[in-house]
Amino acid sequence: KCYCFCPQFRFKEKRMDEVWLVEFYAPWCGYCKKLEPVWYEVGAELKSSGSLINVGKMDATAFSSVASEFGVRGYPTIKLLKGDLAYNYKGPRTKEDIIEFANRVAGPVVRALPSRQMFEGVLNRHSVLFVYIGGDSPLKEKYIEVASEMIVYTYFFSALEDALPTNVTLQELPSVAVFKDRTYFLYDGDGKGVSGSVPDRDFQFGHMDGNDYINSLIMGEVPVPSIIVLNTSNDQYFLLGEPVKTLDQLVQFIHSVLDGSAQAQGGDGIFQRIKRVAFDARSTVMSVFRSSPLLGCFLFGLPLGVISLMCYGICTAESDDGTEELDLLKREALPEEDEYEDRRREGEEEEEEERQEEKSAADKKVD
């Protein structure tokens, strides 16, 4: 196991042959510091359970080329690396949720359910799961392809018809069913999902505890609960202007995103990236001051004080130099009247000295 690794050492050599759960962080990131104790608990529990998953963390600012290779854009970013695949984790940052994600993604993409007893056990453990029923077919190949992308959200299973609960009735084989809240829905095969009201081939539905990730993405504060549509390919997002109260309102909002009438915000342009970095930096500063005001004053007040003293010294030095130059110019540019007055006074002093000498000479003659 390696719980704090150097990327040019074991990580690059063994990554393709092992499974890695990696946190990409920045030393100044407040959210990363908050995750740190949870991350070490994740590593300790996976190690004690005998898991084959390697847990590590990487300073993305020090190893920017590696972080760029994996498409890291924000901090902290959690990825599970499995061969040449990299799976993003965007769920709650708790030990239980991170470990559940790691075990799910690190295992088989599609798990077999050979018996009805095992099927019932899986239904009791998971709130949502997908099941392929039947033998080999083009539908199964498509199911495995979709499962390899969607495994980050839920579990995918396969079973024979005999292993299904007695209340499940199939219309045809092979078939795909999704089980939720002790009921099930059958895939109708036309690409519109089980209801046809929302084109789920274009959307993935999920929920997120907390709003830290969304706040960082939109660079603002999102009230909870809220509904947001994300385009993960370019970091664009769509927000509904008013709270959703009916299903028709939600469906109308989704269709407005598809037909382009909804206004897209955000994006991954250079200007948006600069704004996001500035927002993350400001959020980090605010989190430091909220958690420890004295430490924040020391960390940010000391550099500002030093800079202020330097600026004062520079301004003062420039002011002195200017005064000396001004005095020099004044001396060099004396008015002609002043020069004439000086010469006149010198002449009077010479005449006075001559009169004194003549008077002295006259006094001597009288004697």
Side-chain angles (χ1 to χ4, degrees):
K1 300 297 174 186
C2 183
Y3 295 97
C4 188
F5 59 85
C6 181
Q8 69 265 31
F9 183 53
R10 185 182 175 194
F11 176 62
K12 279 194 171 182
E13 295 178 356
K14 301 292 185 179
R15 185 180 73 81
M16 297 302 294
D17 301 325
E18 299 176 347
V19 179
W20 285 86
L21 181 65
V22 184
E23 175 205 355
F24 294 89
Y25 72 96
W28 45 261
C29 173
Y31 297 123
C32 302
K33 294 177 181 178
K34 185 177 179 180
L35 177 63
E36 185 173 356
V38 176
W39 193 251
Y40 279 98
E41 290 179 4
V42 169
E45 182 160 329
L46 287 176
K47 180 179 181 180
S48 63
S49 66
S51 173
L52 297 178
I53 301 173
N54 298 281
V55 180
K57 55 187 300 186
M58 179 183 297
D59 184 349
T61 62
F63 302 100
S64 57
S65 60
V66 180
S68 177
E69 177 184 349
F70 291 107
V72 175
R73 296 179 179 176
Y75 311 112
T77 293
I78 298 174
K79 290 180 178 284
L80 188 133
L81 310 178
K82 183 180 177 184
D84 57 351
L85 299 176
Y87 296 92
N88 291 329
Y89 175 73
K90 296 184 178 180
R93 294 168 186 166
T94 64
K95 180 187 71 173
E96 293 75 17
D97 288 295
I98 294 174
I99 290 177
E100 197 274 340
F101 161 82
N103 288 329
R104 179 174 72 248
V105 178
V109 173
V110 177
R111 293 169 166 83
L113 297 174
S115 66
R116 182 171 296 171
Q117 182 180 4
M118 184 174 290
F119 204 119
E120 290 289 347
V122 168
L123 286 176
N124 292 331
R125 289 196 302 272
H126 305 294
S127 59
V128 178
L129 64 140
F130 289 80
V131 182
Y132 171 84
I133 305 103
D136 294 337
S137 68
L139 179 60
K140 184 176 183 179
E141 294 178 1
K142 184 65 176 178
Y143 178 78
I144 295 173
E145 179 183 344
V146 172
S148 64
E149 298 180 6
M150 303 297 294
I151 191 66
V152 295
Y153 300 105
T154 188
Y155 286 89
F156 291 81
F157 297 90
S158 64
L160 297 176
E161 188 176 8
D162 296 340
L164 297 178
T166 56
N167 66 322
V168 177
T169 302
L170 299 178
Q171 299 175 355
E172 60 181 358
L173 287 177
S175 184
V176 174
V178 55
F179 291 82
K180 183 180 186 298
D181 299 331
R182 304 303 299 182
T183 187
Y184 69 95
F185 305 88
L186 297 176
Y187 175 70
D188 60 12
D190 64 358
K192 296 183 179 179
V194 294
S195 66
S197 60
V198 175
D200 61 342
R201 67 181 182 272
D202 297 301
F203 289 89
Q204 301 170 9
F205 293 86
H207 69 91
M208 182 178 296
D209 293 334
N211 57 354
D212 290 344
Y213 170 75
I214 298 299
N215 289 344
S216 177
L217 178 68
I218 72 171
M219 295 173 285
E221 188 74 20
V222 174
V224 177
S226 291
I227 294 178
I228 182 171
V229 175
L230 301 178
N231 186 342
T232 56
S233 64
N234 59 9
D235 286 343
Q236 287 186 341
Y237 61 90
F238 302 83
L239 285 173
L240 197 59
E242 55 185 355
V244 176
K245 297 180 179 179
T246 65
L247 178 61
D248 291 339
Q249 187 181 9
L250 176 60
V251 172
Q252 183 179 2
F253 170 57
I254 292 174
H255 282 293
S256 69
V257 173
L258 286 177
D259 62 25
S261 60
Q263 182 180 2
Q265 305 180 57
D268 58 356
I270 184 65
F271 181 66
Q272 288 294 328
R273 294 183 185 180
I274 294 174
K275 287 180 60 178
R276 194 165 290 118
V277 169
F279 176 82
D280 290 340
R282 183 172 65 87
S283 300
T284 301
V285 172
M286 296 301 297
S287 65
V288 171
F289 274 99
R290 282 195 297 266
S291 60
S292 179
L294 292 178
L295 178 61
C297 292
F298 176 78
L299 291 178
F300 299 101
L302 182 61
L304 289 176
V306 172
I307 293 174
S308 299
L309 289 175
M310 293 175 61
C311 292
Y312 176 78
I314 293 172
C315 293
T316 304
E318 290 178 352
S319 177
D320 292 343
D321 294 342
T323 302
E324 293 177 358
E325 291 178 359
L326 182 60
D327 293 340
L328 180 61
L329 290 174
K330 287 182 178 180
R331 287 195 299 268
E332 292 178 351
L334 286 174
E336 294 182 358
E337 293 81 359
D338 292 344
E339 292 181 359
Y340 173 78
E341 183 67 23
D342 290 342
R343 288 195 296 271
R344 186 182 66 78
R345 289 177 180 176
E346 290 177 357
E348 290 179 352
E349 290 176 356
E350 291 177 356
E351 291 177 356
E352 181 65 24
E353 289 178 357
E354 291 178 356
R355 284 196 297 269
Q356 291 293 336
E357 290 178 356
E358 290 176 356
K359 183 179 180 181
S360 299
D363 292 341
K364 287 178 180 181
K365 289 180 179 181
V366 172
D367 293 340

